[in-house]
Amino acid sequence: MSTVKATNFQNASSATANMVTDASGNVSFGGTAAMSSSFLRNRIINGDMRIDQRNAGTEVNPAVTQTYYLDRWQATSTAASKYKIGQNAGAVTPPTGYTNYLGLTSLSAYTVGAAESFGVRQLIEGLNVSDLAWGTASAATVTLSFWVRSSLTGTFGGSLRNSDGTRSYPFTYTISVANTWEQKTVTVAGDTSGTWLTTNGIGIILIFSIGAGSTFSGTAGAWAATNYLSATGATSVVGTNGATFYVTGVQLEVGTVATPFERQLYNAQLAQCQRYYYRISATGNNQPFANAFCDNTTIARGAVLFPVTMRDRPTALEQSGTVANYAIISAPTGQNCTSVPAFATSTVISSEINFTIASGLVAGQGCLLRSGSASGASAYLGWSAEL
Amino acid sequence: MIFKCLSLIEGETQIYARVDEDGLIRLTCTADYPEFKAWLAEGNTPLPADEEV
């Protein structure tokens, strides 16, 4: 490869240099730098694992299903209690420039059955990958990059998959040194076949496997018309008791080059996550959730506005499960609830919720829905529009 | 885990409560909630509102 050594680059019609380089690698533009894709390159949300609205760093044990833990990251398990997961679990130092990672720890030496799989994955909304034109002759090449660390070494597996599992691309990467962060890059020629949604449904699923049976394992580096979640022969993390698997700095971008991880302001990244999940967490007693009105002597109905438009209309309300965590205040005093807060209805920008107390509300009077007077710090309200 | 009906508020949509293994209700939802639909598809039926879990 040849190298052009120059400080200034200037258009023939321009009076001054259009692009100036310096010895430190900085490049200054006199005008606008236009790229074939935007500066918002990363199709992964919360790739640096900073946002954890649900658990705030607490380590949890995934149930048998697909469940979200760190924002946008879903743990998958076909058997319970085989691993635990959490933000910064294991308390190792993240790679330079990162403060967080997603940590998994195997809880047994489990032999994965043929039709079993374990891993973490991100379901990317179709609207965010519609320009890739997958499923057409113009399918764009993408490059996946990430930092990974494990107590195990060897060949590890993952996959890119479509929404219904009729197209998948198993990939491998090698962890060379145990308990050491390594950055990996995988370039994938876009799929010219199959159906890839470009709606607010599932566009692409990125999977990091920590154990997959033969049914879900295929030849690495090739598209297949089936539901492969990993590559044949990949290391099973759940197969070793106490084995760890940590990942962060995940980026999926158009092209063949893994560019530096796309940094975002915290509030912008949180807002991206809130399109899929929004939680209001109280940190103490008597903290407000929503304005409301008294529907009758026992029920108050309030509305919560979401900070961003959600992907879809939520159909459920999550809360702590403890009635004393919640209260209604209405003149002249407040009372702790006698039932947990209940979902009523929602749009993509708001939700109506109901709080209930034993008696004493005056129909038509205004009131405030808030955390309880004694154990309010455990109160939260959550809405999901996850894929 | 099971689901039970909450008392119907006149003119409003039926709301269901998910009762977890420890007896706590940590989620309430409409019939459109995916987890509830999957539970129904397994052949389950929500308990009536006045039935104790």
Side-chain angles (χ1 to χ4, degrees):
Chain A
M1 181 181 290
S2 60
T3 300
V4 176
K5 294 187 175 181
T7 301
N8 297 336
F9 294 83
Q10 184 171 338
N11 183 277
S13 301
S14 179
T16 58
N18 304 118
M19 187 172 79
V20 180
T21 66
D22 68 20
S24 299
N26 299 309
V27 181
S28 301
F29 294 91
T32 300
M35 301 172 67
S36 56
S37 65
S38 76
F39 281 104
L40 291 173
R41 307 178 311 279
N42 195 358
R43 311 310 170 98
I44 298 294
I45 295 173
N46 200 27
D48 59 2
M49 316 297 177
R50 279 190 299 176
I51 313 294
D52 187 14
Q53 293 185 83
R54 294 174 180 85
N55 297 297
T58 302
E59 208 167 5
V60 286
N61 191 340
V64 183
T65 184
Q66 291 91 34
T67 308
Y68 283 90
Y69 292 95
L70 276 69
D71 277 62
R72 301 298 297 122
W73 291 100
Q74 188 185 58
T76 63
S77 301
T78 50
S81 303
K82 302 310 173 194
Y83 67 95
K84 55 184 178 178
I85 181 173
Q87 184 189 49
N88 291 6
V92 301
T93 302
T96 301
Y98 295 90
T99 56
N100 299 102
Y101 60 88
L102 182 156
L104 300 171
T105 304
S106 172
L107 296 175
S108 66
Y110 186 67
T111 301
V112 179
E116 289 191 305
S117 68
F118 300 86
V120 289
R121 63 184 194 174
Q122 182 160 136
L123 283 60
I124 305 172
E125 186 175 350
L127 292 170
N128 291 340
V129 289
S130 58
D131 60 311
L132 303 187
W134 283 17
T136 76
S138 303
T141 296
V142 297
T143 294
L144 171 70
S145 56
F146 54 96
W147 286 90
V148 65
R149 168 181 172 143
S150 176
S151 59
L152 306 175
T153 59
T155 302
F156 289 69
S159 173
L160 293 174
R161 211 200 79 178
N162 70 349
S163 59
D164 61 3
T166 55
R167 300 293 296 173
S168 58
Y169 183 98
F171 62 81
T172 59
Y173 57 94
T174 301
I175 295 181
S176 306
V177 183
N179 300 315
T180 303
W181 286 104
E182 300 177 16
Q183 189 176 30
K184 306 299 174 186
T185 298
V186 178
T187 295
V188 179
D191 189 13
T192 56
S193 301
T195 300
W196 296 86
L197 300 184
T198 56
T199 64
N200 68 342
I202 299 169
I204 297 173
I205 304 176
L206 166 64
I207 301 147
F208 291 108
S209 175
I210 58 168
S214 57
T215 303
F216 297 121
S217 300
T219 303
W223 285 103
T226 190
N227 182 20
Y228 288 145
L229 308 176
S230 186
T232 303
T235 300
S236 171
V237 177
V238 294
T240 301
N241 189 26
T244 57
F245 179 86
Y246 305 145
V247 64
T248 193
V250 184
Q251 181 153 289
L252 182 71
E253 59 192 309
V254 174
T256 59
V257 176
T259 64
F261 184 77
E262 185 177 80
R263 306 290 176 178
Q264 296 193 49
L265 295 178
Y266 183 86
N267 64 326
Q269 190 166 330
L270 176 61
Q272 290 176 0
C273 293
Q274 287 172 331
R275 174 171 173 78
Y276 305 91
Y277 186 79
Y278 174 52
R279 177 177 286 200
I280 311 172
S281 295
T283 57
N285 299 328
N286 306 322
Q287 294 182 346
F289 287 122
N291 292 318
F293 76 96
C294 304
D295 193 38
N296 53 45
T297 58
T298 61
I299 296 176
R301 303 168 66 163
V304 172
L305 295 178
F306 302 139
V308 300
T309 301
M310 299 198 82
R311 182 192 67 84
D312 199 1
R313 196 169 60 87
T315 53
L317 173 68
E318 301 172 11
Q319 34 70 35
S320 68
T322 302
V323 293
N325 294 161
Y326 302 90
I328 301 172
I329 182 161
S330 180
T333 60
Q335 293 184 53
N336 283 343
C337 288
T338 53
S339 298
V340 292
F343 183 82
T345 186
S346 71
T347 68
V348 292
I349 61 167
S350 63
S351 180
E352 181 185 326
I353 55 176
N354 294 334
F355 276 37
T356 302
I357 60 172
S359 64
L361 299 178
V362 178
Q365 196 174 64
C367 62
L368 185 65
L369 312 182
R370 63 184 193 177
S371 61
S373 60
S375 59
S378 298
Y380 67 86
L381 301 174
W383 294 262
S384 175
E386 293 282 9
L387 288 157
Chain B
M1 174 266 288
I2 62 164
F3 284 88
K4 65 176 288 186
C5 300
L6 292 184
S7 298
L8 186 61
I9 299 175
E10 187 177 350
E12 300 293 336
T13 302
Q14 176 66 56
I15 301 298
Y16 303 90
R18 188 190 69 196
V19 185
D20 293 336
E21 300 299 333
D22 58 5
L24 294 181
I25 296 171
R26 295 186 177 86
L27 182 138
T28 52
C29 64
T30 69
D32 293 328
Y33 184 61
E35 183 183 348
F36 177 68
K37 290 199 291 189
W39 184 78
L40 288 180
E42 293 172 356
N44 298 301
T45 303
L47 294 177
D50 56 358
E51 187 162 331
E52 291 293 326
V53 176

